[in-house]
Amino acid sequence: MPPLEMMFKAQGDRLQARLRHYLTDSWASVVTSPRGSYREEHLLAYMERHLPQSWDGRWRILLCDAFAPQGLESLKRLAWQRGFVLVQIGGGCTGTIQVNDTDLHQKLRHDYQQEEMRTAVEQMREDPTRVPSMRPADCIGVLADVWRDTALHERAAEGFSRVGLAIPLDGTGDWQIVREARLAWDALEMPRERAKACAAVAADFEAGRLDWTYEGVYSLVVPFESRGILDRLLDGQDGGDESDDACPRPWRDAEDSDDDDALDDPVLPLAGEGPEASTAAALPLCDGPSLNAEDAEDVERRAVRERGLREARDILAHVGEEGLLIAVDRAIHKHERAARSRGRVQPEVAQRQLQRSAATEAELAAKRRAAVAQDKRARDVQERAEKLKGEAERLKRAKGELQKARETYAAVAAYTLADFGDGRGKGGAAQPATARVAAVSRLARHGGAMAAYERDGWNFF
């Protein structure tokens, strides 16, 4: 049975010592913390208590979240002494590849809440005037009862294949990857990266460069790339709060689904979301065993249906038909679930189906890229046309202003100095003054702004 530790937020060790009396299984432990959050001393005590004391000669990977204390040197050293290599998952990735989050906690929480509700109903029956409540001892008993369900852990163990962490390196198990992990797997071209990593390991092994020591192994554990968001979980961030109750996808009982693999549905992006294209078909896939005529025909028939559904989805996403898009997504999900169910019985058929699906997706991805490129070219042409139109309008306005300026200067040039009262006493009578004002006013309409003193003395020119 996998180990289970329950933490309660409390000061001191008295409550912790008292709660330990309620434990009946060696795989269970209880601990208290002032902030309800794990620190270095709690993690070291957990590992001392639950990691195997004796090494059986097999090395294992101890996969942890990016919670800051879990990356401390003291924890890595202790894990190494027990035959484990401690590796942390990059910040923000736990919802995709952390099996506890993807295949364990949701069902665990559902079953615990069901038992908690049953306990509350029993308390109300015994004493209707009492407000039902769960004591720490009750919480320990209920959670331990739920944890004893072996089916819970068997399903969680299968999750390591669903997220791509425990599949054969030859590619024969790639069909088992589902949900967000499948989207990430395709987008990151993982089969190609896996082939490169295997080749590098083989070359280093042949050259004698692999040194199985603490320093040698951890020199190969490359820190995950910093994104600036959720790179490290700090003390207190792992504690529960109101947001913990907001489950992104509520647990569904088996009778609510038409397939036992309902929880394995891959989360497909809506229109305009997710990776623009998959390059799965360009990646190396293993040939696998040949199929008989009946299985080969069935694979081809399913491939044709899948292609039709995915082409329909692309069209609906392009035109924005969200309602129909949801229906097609459901059909695709059902198709994929059926393929996975058959893969458990006939893995060679599943592998061939995966190859056909990858080829289909690559072809459709190429079409999507071509459509995106065409749309971009159309937008670029439209933007250039708008810019040219704006430039033409600007030139037209400039031409009009220039024409007006020419007419103004021509009109002013038609005046003579005599018309402005040259040689007359005080600049002449009213007619020369009117000519001067008219000429200067026309020039002012095409010049810069006048100063205040110029506007005030305008009529005296």
Side-chain angles (χ1 to χ4, degrees):
M1 186 67 65
L4 170 68
E5 183 162 280
M6 292 158 275
M7 171 172 280
F8 291 86
K9 186 176 181 179
Q11 293 280 358
D13 298 329
R14 296 179 59 185
L15 176 62
Q16 176 175 295
R18 189 166 68 250
L19 292 177
R20 285 177 178 171
H21 291 295
Y22 298 103
L23 299 175
T24 59
D25 302 282
S26 60
W27 43 260
S29 58
V30 64
V31 66
T32 59
S33 170
R35 300 182 61 181
S37 178
Y38 275 85
R39 297 181 180 178
E40 181 180 7
E41 60 269 23
H42 303 122
L43 294 168
L44 286 172
Y46 172 85
M47 294 171 65
E48 286 279 5
R49 185 180 302 112
H50 291 295
L51 291 185
Q53 297 289 335
S54 59
W55 184 47
D56 60 1
R58 295 178 56 196
W59 285 93
R60 297 173 175 85
I61 295 176
L62 183 59
L63 200 60
C64 300
D65 294 341
F67 181 46
Q70 292 179 160
L72 295 175
E73 183 71 13
S74 58
L75 271 70
K76 294 180 180 179
R77 289 286 182 180
L78 178 56
W80 181 266
Q81 294 171 7
R82 302 293 178 87
F84 287 84
V85 178
L86 193 153
V87 178
Q88 288 185 283
I89 297 175
C93 299
T94 55
T96 300
I97 60 174
Q98 173 59 284
V99 174
N100 287 343
D101 291 346
T102 61
D103 292 271
L104 176 62
H105 289 164
Q106 193 175 33
K107 181 66 165 62
L108 177 65
R109 176 177 296 183
H110 170 269
D111 292 348
Y112 177 85
Q113 290 175 343
Q114 291 291 100
E115 290 297 317
E116 188 178 50
M117 184 63 68
R118 183 182 60 79
T119 302
V121 171
E122 290 178 355
Q123 291 179 0
M124 293 182 66
R125 285 175 179 172
E126 295 175 358
D127 186 358
T129 63
R130 174 190 173 190
V131 176
S133 62
M134 294 281 289
R135 300 173 301 166
D138 297 327
C139 296
I140 292 174
V142 169
L143 186 54
D145 287 341
V146 173
W147 194 257
R148 291 188 184 94
D149 181 12
T150 56
L152 178 74
H153 305 292
E154 290 172 354
R155 181 178 185 84
E158 294 175 357
F160 285 95
S161 296
R162 295 190 180 101
V163 300
L165 293 178
I167 56 175
L169 294 178
D170 60 2
T172 55
D174 291 0
W175 60 272
Q176 301 178 69
I177 306 173
V178 294
R179 299 179 299 229
E180 292 92 339
R182 165 57 66 181
L183 298 178
W185 183 271
D186 292 339
L188 298 175
E189 303 183 8
M190 288 304 297
R192 177 175 295 162
E193 295 300 320
R194 176 179 58 199
K196 290 164 56 178
C198 289
V201 170
D204 288 344
F205 178 78
E206 292 295 333
R209 290 191 293 266
L210 295 182
D211 181 21
W212 193 263
T213 61
Y214 179 85
E215 290 75 13
V217 170
Y218 274 99
S219 67
L220 302 176
V221 180
V222 181
F224 51 82
E225 182 179 355
S226 176
R227 298 288 184 178
I229 301 175
L230 292 179
D231 289 326
R232 309 287 292 182
L233 290 178
L234 303 178
D235 185 24
Q237 283 184 276
D238 64 331
D241 55 23
E242 293 78 5
S243 63
D244 287 344
D245 296 329
C247 188
R249 181 174 55 177
W251 173 262
R252 294 177 294 175
D253 291 326
E255 59 267 26
D256 294 335
S257 172
D258 59 353
D259 192 288
D260 291 339
D261 291 333
L263 291 179
D264 298 338
D265 292 352
V267 180
L268 295 179
L270 296 177
E273 298 180 345
E276 292 183 358
S278 171
T279 56
L283 307 178
L285 294 171
C286 50
D287 297 331
S290 60
L291 304 180
N292 58 45
E294 182 180 355
D295 289 339
E297 182 180 355
D298 183 64
V299 168
E300 187 63 27
R301 177 178 59 81
R302 291 175 180 271
V304 171
R305 184 173 186 273
E306 181 183 6
R307 180 188 180 86
L309 288 172
R310 294 194 179 279
E311 285 182 339
R313 190 189 188 284
D314 287 347
I315 294 173
L316 294 173
H318 184 73
V319 300
E321 288 288 346
E322 295 291 343
L324 294 176
L325 188 62
I326 293 175
V328 173
D329 275 343
R330 289 175 178 170
I332 294 175
H333 294 177
K334 188 173 182 179
H335 174 84
E336 291 176 339
R337 291 198 302 269
R340 289 196 300 275
S341 297
R342 186 173 184 182
R344 295 188 178 93
V345 181
Q346 294 178 291
E348 68 280 359
V349 174
Q351 181 64 21
R352 183 62 61 85
Q353 184 66 51
L354 176 63
Q355 293 175 335
R356 294 289 287 112
S357 298
T360 297
E361 177 60 24
E363 183 178 349
L364 295 179
K367 290 184 177 181
R368 287 194 291 269
R369 289 194 296 270
V372 170
Q374 184 176 357
D375 290 343
K376 185 178 184 303
R377 288 194 295 271
R379 289 194 301 270
D380 292 343
V381 171
Q382 182 67 23
E383 290 176 1
R384 288 197 295 270
E386 293 294 335
K387 290 181 180 179
L388 291 175
K389 181 179 179 181
E391 183 66 15
E393 292 177 353
R394 187 189 67 80
L395 292 175
K396 183 178 180 180
R397 290 192 299 270
K399 181 179 179 181
E401 292 295 328
L402 180 60
Q403 182 63 28
K404 291 179 181 179
R406 287 175 176 173
E407 292 175 356
T408 296
Y409 295 139
V412 172
Y415 289 100
T416 64
L417 292 178
D419 294 332
F420 292 147
D422 183 33
R424 302 181 185 183
K426 296 182 179 181
Q431 184 174 358
T434 301
R436 291 196 300 271
V437 170
V440 177
S441 296
R442 193 159 187 175
L443 288 172
R445 285 197 295 270
H446 298 281
M450 292 183 296
Y453 73 90
E454 293 176 330
R455 292 194 298 271
D456 293 340
W458 182 248
N459 292 328
F460 296 96
F461 279 102

